[in-house]
Amino acid sequence: PDASLPSNMLATLQVARGSTPFHRVAYQPKASTALDYLIVYQCAFLLRRFALPVADRVDFTSTSMAGLAARQWVVKNPKMSGMQEEEITDLTAFLVNGILNQLRSIPVGMRVDAWITAQFPDLADLQCQAITKQLNDNTAALRPDLQAVMPDQALAANISMSTAFALYWAERLQQPQNALPYQATGHLAQGRALLDLWHAIPEEPGSDVKLIDAWASKLGLESWYRWTQETTH
């Protein structure tokens, strides 16, 4: 349990590397009701990673271009006028971390959830609890108060990925209401385009890099990250 995790981050995974000999799953204590599902979800990322030969395992790291681009979003946006340098630096880092975390986790996470649905039907109720919370949390980006203080480009990337996620679960759970907030705000087309890419790319772990790259290309984020040879044990 890790109470320092943000309330919208139910669990996270630290992969063994360097002086850290074990993989570590940390979870938000408030999410303990869905704990079994959350642990399986994180472990599934490891299983996908280690299903690949060592030569094909890669790490995902941000580039300097990500910070430069995000900073320009901030300093050139009239909504951000009057910000102090420290505030600009903090918001830039927040945007880079948030957008790249979405890009890295959402498309592959949907693969993981499809696997959990097929392999562990007894986790369906816990999965639904966690997904419902995430769907609700994601819609925060549509609130006028948040849109008033975030760069438009960051909102577009965030909401596009959240829309694809909502569309996926609307279909999976046969709950079309999951996508209604994004339909009402005119975001369905970009989310549908990302989901179509997700369906078009093979589901095996060896295609995860291709999947992330395809989403990045659609969102204009290709220069924000690079793949490097794994440094895990």
Side-chain angles (χ1 to χ4, degrees):
D2 185 350
S4 70
L5 290 178
S7 60
N8 64 345
M9 181 179 291
L10 299 182
T12 187
L13 170 71
Q14 180 183 359
V15 179
R17 65 185 68 232
S19 60
T20 304
F22 300 103
H23 309 301
R24 178 178 180 269
V25 175
Y27 67 91
Q28 170 59 251
K30 294 179 182 178
S32 59
T33 55
L35 185 56
D36 286 348
Y37 159 75
L38 295 173
I39 291 175
V40 170
Y41 179 84
Q42 296 297 333
C43 289
F45 276 91
L46 284 173
L47 291 173
R48 291 186 74 84
R49 183 185 187 94
F50 288 98
L52 299 174
V54 173
D56 293 338
R57 297 177 201 158
V58 290
D59 288 322
F60 178 91
T61 58
S62 63
T63 66
S64 60
M65 291 299 296
L68 292 172
R71 182 181 174 84
Q72 289 302 301
W73 291 355
V74 175
V75 300
K76 291 188 174 182
N77 195 308
K79 293 188 294 186
M80 310 290 108
S81 62
M83 292 184 68
Q84 301 298 312
E85 180 58 34
E86 183 177 354
E87 295 174 312
I88 293 172
T89 299
D90 290 345
L91 180 55
T92 296
F94 173 80
L95 294 176
V96 170
N97 290 336
I99 290 172
L100 289 183
N101 183 60
Q102 277 190 292
L103 179 62
R104 178 67 181 88
S105 63
I106 289 180
V108 178
M110 287 156 56
R111 298 280 193 230
V112 165
D113 270 314
W115 176 77
I116 291 174
T117 299
Q119 297 295 322
F120 301 102
D122 54 314
L123 291 177
D125 288 345
L126 298 182
Q127 183 182 44
C128 189
Q129 288 178 31
I131 293 301
T132 298
K133 183 181 187 310
Q134 187 171 348
L135 287 166
N136 291 334
D137 288 344
N138 288 350
T139 60
L142 301 174
R143 296 200 322 253
D145 61 320
L146 186 57
Q147 296 210 358
V149 296
M150 295 293 287
D152 297 334
Q153 302 94 324
L155 287 167
N158 172 290
I159 293 172
S160 293
M161 288 186 275
S162 293
T163 302
F165 181 81
L167 285 168
Y168 171 80
W169 283 106
E171 296 171 359
R172 175 70 68 170
L173 298 175
Q174 297 184 343
Q175 295 177 356
Q177 65 269 24
N178 290 332
L180 288 180
Y182 303 98
Q183 179 179 351
T185 52
H187 293 99
L188 283 190
Q190 185 73 343
R192 174 60 64 185
L194 292 176
L195 186 58
D196 288 346
L197 287 171
W198 187 88
H199 283 298
I201 293 172
E203 65 182 26
E204 64 265 13
S207 294
D208 286 353
V209 167
K210 182 180 179 180
L211 174 60
I212 291 169
D213 287 346
W215 276 35
S217 178
K218 190 68 177 176
L219 295 166
L221 300 173
E222 306 100 308
S223 65
W224 280 48
Y225 66 93
R226 60 190 175 91
W227 298 105
T228 59
Q229 190 65 34
E230 100 162 348
T231 57
T232 58
H233 296 294

